[in-house]
Amino acid sequence: MSATMSASVNSSKRKFPLEHTRNIGIAAHIDAGKTTTTERILFYAGVVHKMGEVHEGSAVTDWMEQERERGITITSAAISCNWTNQHGPYAGIQNQINIIDTPGHVDFTAEVERSLRVLDGAVGVFCAVAGVQPQSETVWRQMTKYNVPRIAFVNKMDRTGADFYAAVESMRERLGANAHPICIPIGAEEDFTGLIDLASMQATIYDPADESGMTVEVTDIPAEYVDQASEHREKLIEALADFDEGLADKYLEGQDLTADDIRAAIRKATISLEFCGVMPGSAFKNKGVQTVLESVVNYLPSPLDLPPMIGEDKKGRPVEVKPDDNAKLAGLAFKLMNDGYVGKLVFFRVYSGSISKGSVLHNPRTGKTERISRLLVMKADAREDIDTAYSGDICALVGARDVVTGDTLCTKGYDVRLEPPTFPEPVISMSIEPKTTADQEKMALGLQRLSEEDPTFVVSTDEETGQTLIAGMGELHLEIIKDRLFREFKVGAEAGRPQIAYRETVLSAADGEGKFVRQSGGKGQYGHVRIKIEPLERGAGVEVVDKIVGGVIPKEFIKPAMDGIKEAACNGTVAGYPVVDFKVTLFDGSFHDVDSSEMAFKMAGIFAFRDAMQKAGPILLEPLMNVEVETPEDYQGDIMGDLNRRRGQIQHINAKPSFISISALVPLVEMFGYSTIMRSLSKGRASFSMEPECFEEVPSNVVNTILETSTRGRY
């Protein structure tokens, strides 16, 4: 982008111009080293003066008590830092990097989802021993979904069994990534001493006497690595030639390619979303993190490098929202957090325009205005007041009241709606009751605030029992919710046994008819519809189609009939669970000139759906989890035997240098308490992860057990 053009979109008052701003996320499988990598970035960028450690509970970005106790990331932490590159086209220029450290545990995938929605680039962290792991795949799919350019950091090169090239190959095989090393390691395991930059063909050697990693020597490539580096550089250039014609021409003509030629091509290829540069390192041993920072600036996009955000006006017409400080304001509220000192914090990405404290903003969803009393830049659990946030910035708003995750806030009169992040539905629920009457009100307030923060946490009431039900993404998710109720809201509560979020569907097509007729003197009620229900493939959702012709049902009664169908689908005929993956066609019916009403047609829709579903071979579906167990070979047989007893389907077994990786599909209902059993079988040496995979039919011998224990109403 030309200097003139960039100057025209930058306010004269902003500290860092758009072209020198990076909004990035750090994302990976649990325990791959995301938080440790982020902590090292903050240290080298001068934000902190002591490296925080996850295992010590001192990580800056793991600021919640629950995070420090468990050594895991639960909530996305936003933090800003500045970095000046030493080499390349951005050398000597200070850049602002806004970083979000995301959770790795599948129960908190919503945090990853909403973070990636507002980021411009990401660093995927992979373990040099394990390579691509289940949650790595999930995160990669989320990055692809939101078109996020990415680079990869293969961490833990100091660990026994570390293999950089195997990790790159697993990215290609399991992720389908066009992954290529842009740096290669010097040594591995305890002999990992540095890395080679394939663009400059220079080696960075870390001084073993300086454990901070601050003392490095940039020198010629060691003789024994020259051939290996040349080979990988050739492969890199060949891969980049597909994205840069100028580089391809130079290469084919036999011209020398400069380091900046290659860096420019890597940047272009990365932003195209068709290429991922990979570098090695060990965050814990303080090696390679500076290279990650340099690569973030060199290869990941600024807001100006990406296509404009496409929103919609109130009539559904597309609207381009471009990064420009001088344009009208439009931004996305991507996260809510309740703060004990300032109340509700709204995390906000500014896409165009600027926002100042005291601004009055319009919310197109509610049609109301919101006055912003304060603007904050978050530094994990610390915060800094600012007067103005500009396009491309991520900040927190204080004062917004009626705002939910996914809301657009914009200049009054500029009615635009940006695409919100999407979230998976909960897979597990349990009842929760206050211990005392005094806890009742506090629990209701606490659950309301927690559900506002977390779109995957749902609170409801069982109509039959009157119990309060909480639903989430897994046992750990609900455990954290209960813990936060106790600690933050001082609520004493008892929780019931977790319940599975089953679903229902149909196996065949069938017609159904519903009539609602009431005559009790005076004006009666009459509604009559005929429908056809058909199964759709798994995950297709629900489709309701209007095929009424000739006015057999007046237009004003079609919507109520469809509403009735959708309402009936919330309670299936097998066990009262929501019905999914079906298509309903409304094709016939009749009405009465005097007695027909919206209520009558809604009831007719309900009756027709129940009638059709009972004829269409209704079945019960259960959530299957993709379970991956890593165990020493000695315990492989016991682990596999236990998975089989849990109705698990073994998908594949991979032998790694120091352990066996077993992947299986297992019904969620069979996984309660698994961690305790697994530790017992392996003498505490095995670990596992799991994530939702799909819904499949419940075996007939299990259905009766579910029906006996289900408290849901059914027809």
Side-chain angles (χ1 to χ4, degrees):
M1 175 160 301
S2 70
T4 306
M5 189 179 294
S6 67
S8 68
V9 300
N10 285 305
S11 165
S12 59
K13 296 180 180 178
R14 70 180 297 151
K15 188 175 179 182
F16 295 95
L18 276 159
E19 57 268 33
H20 300 311
T21 300
R22 302 288 185 271
N23 293 311
I24 67 161
I26 312 287
H29 183 88
I30 190 171
D31 203 33
K34 297 177 309 301
T35 300
T36 303
T37 302
T38 306
E39 293 295 318
R40 299 305 188 263
I41 286 173
L42 299 181
F43 174 77
Y44 292 124
V47 175
V48 298
H49 302 290
K50 180 180 181 297
M51 298 185 199
E53 303 291 358
V54 176
H55 62 277
E56 294 176 358
S58 59
V60 175
T61 52
D62 283 350
W63 55 270
M64 292 173 65
E65 290 180 37
Q66 296 89 339
E67 294 178 313
R68 293 184 167 174
E69 288 171 0
R70 291 170 169 80
I72 62 171
T73 302
I74 293 169
T75 182
S76 302
I79 196 158
S80 296
C81 65
N82 304 327
W83 178 258
T84 304
N85 273 13
Q86 299 300 308
H87 311 284
Y90 293 92
I93 301 171
Q94 196 174 44
N95 289 263
Q96 177 166 295
I97 304 176
N98 302 314
I99 305 168
I100 297 183
D101 173 34
T102 61
H105 199 288
V106 66
D107 283 21
F108 310 107
T109 189
E111 289 288 325
V112 185
E113 188 87 22
R114 59 179 159 199
S115 300
L116 290 174
R117 169 63 182 79
V118 298
L119 293 174
D120 301 326
V123 179
V125 181
F126 297 86
C127 174
V129 180
V132 174
Q133 297 168 280
Q135 190 63 10
S136 313
E137 297 183 63
T138 303
V139 169
W140 200 264
R141 285 197 300 271
Q142 290 169 313
M143 291 182 197
T144 303
K145 174 181 173 182
Y146 292 116
N147 296 320
V148 178
R150 67 214 77 160
I151 55 177
F153 177 52
V154 175
N155 191 27
K156 302 190 178 184
M157 282 297 299
D158 60 303
R159 295 272 296 272
T160 302
D163 188 332
F164 174 72
Y165 302 103
V168 175
E169 190 57 37
S170 73
M171 290 177 65
R172 293 169 180 163
E173 288 179 1
R174 296 189 61 174
L175 304 177
N178 186 19
H180 292 271
I182 56 177
C183 297
I184 62 172
I186 299 174
E189 302 178 350
E190 70 269 13
D191 297 323
F192 176 60
T193 57
L195 46 87
I196 297 167
D197 184 335
L198 297 179
S200 65
M201 290 297 275
Q202 293 276 292
T204 299
I205 310 293
Y206 291 88
D207 185 348
D210 182 1
E211 292 186 356
S212 74
M214 298 286 283
T215 307
V216 298
E217 182 186 5
V218 179
T219 183
D220 293 336
I221 299 171
E224 65 269 30
Y225 284 95
V226 169
D227 290 345
Q228 189 179 352
S230 297
E231 181 189 341
H232 284 287
R233 189 176 194 258
E234 287 291 310
K235 290 179 179 176
L236 174 63
I237 292 169
E238 287 172 6
L240 294 172
D242 294 335
F243 305 95
D244 192 314
E245 288 184 11
L247 181 120
D249 292 341
K250 275 190 175 182
Y251 177 62
L252 292 171
E253 291 167 7
Q255 298 182 36
D256 288 337
L257 296 172
T258 67
D260 283 351
D261 286 338
I262 294 174
R263 289 184 181 122
I266 294 173
R267 179 177 184 84
K268 189 174 181 180
T270 302
I271 294 173
S272 78
L273 302 170
E274 299 294 331
F275 177 89
C276 178
V278 192
M279 64 209 87
S282 169
F284 184 62
K285 295 291 186 179
N286 309 314
K287 295 174 182 176
V289 177
Q290 298 101 318
T291 304
V292 172
L293 274 164
E294 295 247 333
S295 298
V296 164
V297 172
N298 280 336
Y299 307 133
L300 291 181
S302 76
L304 292 174
D305 294 316
L306 297 174
M309 190 60 61
I310 305 297
E312 290 184 349
D313 65 12
K314 56 187 174 184
K315 294 183 178 178
R317 295 172 301 198
V319 178
E320 280 194 352
V321 179
K322 298 178 180 179
D324 183 346
D325 295 343
N326 308 305
K328 293 177 180 177
L329 173 79
L332 190 71
F334 66 95
K335 177 177 176 173
L336 272 61
M337 188 175 83
N338 289 289
D339 184 277
Y341 298 101
V342 298
K344 182 190 284 188
L345 285 175
V346 178
F347 285 73
F348 190 69
R349 162 70 193 262
V350 185
Y351 280 101
S352 71
S354 61
I355 177 174
S356 301
K357 61 182 183 182
S359 297
V360 176
L361 306 182
H362 173 64
N363 185 337
R365 180 183 62 84
T366 63
K368 298 177 181 176
T369 56
E370 301 281 353
R371 181 175 292 278
I372 309 306
S373 57
R374 291 173 68 187
L375 285 177
L376 306 173
V377 172
M378 302 301 293
K379 303 279 176 93
D381 61 337
R383 53 187 66 84
E384 177 187 323
D385 277 274
I386 57 172
D387 294 328
T388 307
Y390 300 95
S391 54
D393 287 348
I394 293 174
C395 60
L397 315 180
V398 179
R401 298 182 179 276
D402 191 7
V403 175
V404 299
T405 299
D407 276 355
T408 299
L409 297 177
C410 52
T411 304
K412 193 167 175 61
Y414 180 47
D415 201 314
V416 61
R417 293 167 174 82
L418 299 170
E419 182 188 355
T422 57
F423 302 103
E425 289 193 10
V427 296
I428 188 171
S429 65
M430 64 173 62
S431 61
I432 188 165
E433 299 292 337
K435 286 185 177 179
T436 66
T437 308
D439 287 320
Q440 180 78 49
E441 191 172 334
K442 288 193 292 184
M443 188 180 85
L445 176 64
L447 291 175
Q448 180 193 340
R449 288 188 177 173
L450 291 171
S451 65
E452 286 177 355
E453 285 185 17
D454 185 351
T456 61
F457 173 61
V458 178
V459 182
S460 61
T461 303
D462 189 309
E463 292 182 3
E464 290 191 358
T465 63
Q467 286 181 308
T468 299
L469 302 177
I470 57 175
M473 299 306 298
E475 283 185 281
L476 179 60
H477 188 190
L478 296 184
E479 185 186 323
I480 297 293
I481 292 287
K482 285 191 299 178
D483 198 45
R484 289 186 66 187
L485 275 176
F486 176 71
R487 296 194 192 195
E488 295 174 31
F489 300 95
K490 309 295 187 278
V491 175
E494 301 279 357
R497 189 177 183 275
Q499 301 291 317
I500 305 298
Y502 293 100
R503 297 287 185 266
E504 298 182 24
T505 193
V506 295
L507 291 176
S508 58
D511 289 354
E513 185 172 17
K515 267 190 179 181
F516 184 76
V517 184
R518 295 286 186 275
Q519 291 293 338
S520 54
K523 188 174 184 291
Q525 296 283 353
Y526 184 91
H528 172 218
V529 299
R530 292 181 67 199
I531 66 171
K532 180 178 182 178
I533 190 169
E534 302 167 80
L536 296 177
E537 61 184 30
R538 293 280 189 274
V542 175
E543 188 178 346
V544 182
V545 181
D546 169 23
K547 286 292 178 91
I548 295 295
V549 293
V552 293
I553 299 176
K555 285 184 178 179
E556 64 264 29
F557 298 140
I558 290 175
K559 185 179 181 299
M562 288 183 163
D563 290 343
I565 292 166
K566 292 173 183 175
E567 184 177 309
C570 295
N571 295 89
T573 60
V574 181
Y577 291 98
V579 187
V580 296
D581 304 335
F582 67 89
K583 176 182 177 181
V584 166
T585 305
L586 178 62
F587 68 89
D588 198 11
S590 61
F591 72 102
H592 189 280
D593 287 335
V594 178
D595 293 347
S596 285
S597 66
E598 290 186 1
M599 190 273 286
F601 271 93
K602 183 177 180 179
M603 294 303 298
I606 292 173
F607 295 158
F609 181 83
R610 292 175 189 166
D611 180 46
M613 189 174 173
Q614 286 172 339
K615 299 173 184 173
I619 59 170
L620 195 62
L621 302 174
E622 63 181 347
L624 295 191
M625 310 301 286
N626 184 1
V627 179
E628 186 147 328
V629 185
E630 294 179 350
T631 176
E633 191 174 358
D634 295 351
Y635 310 108
Q636 180 184 348
D638 291 339
I639 295 288
M640 289 179 64
D642 183 64
L643 288 172
N644 286 324
R645 283 191 291 276
R646 296 171 185 272
R647 298 193 281 127
Q649 309 162 35
I650 305 295
Q651 300 299 296
H652 49 79
I653 302 168
N654 291 325
K656 301 289 178 74
S658 56
F659 61 89
I660 302 291
S661 175
I662 304 166
S663 180
L665 290 177
V666 190
L668 176 59
V669 69
E670 304 289 349
M671 291 300 295
F672 291 141
Y674 180 67
S675 57
T676 304
I677 300 295
M678 179 204 63
R679 283 196 291 268
S680 174
L681 291 173
S682 65
K683 296 182 171 56
R685 295 176 66 191
S687 62
F688 85 103
S689 63
M690 67 177 185
E691 60 177 340
E693 180 66 23
C694 58
F695 280 85
E696 291 293 343
E697 183 176 356
V698 179
S700 55
N701 61 322
V702 182
V703 172
N704 288 334
T705 306
I706 295 170
L707 294 180
E708 288 167 7
T709 57
S710 174
T711 59
R712 297 183 65 92
R714 58 185 184 274
Y715 301 95

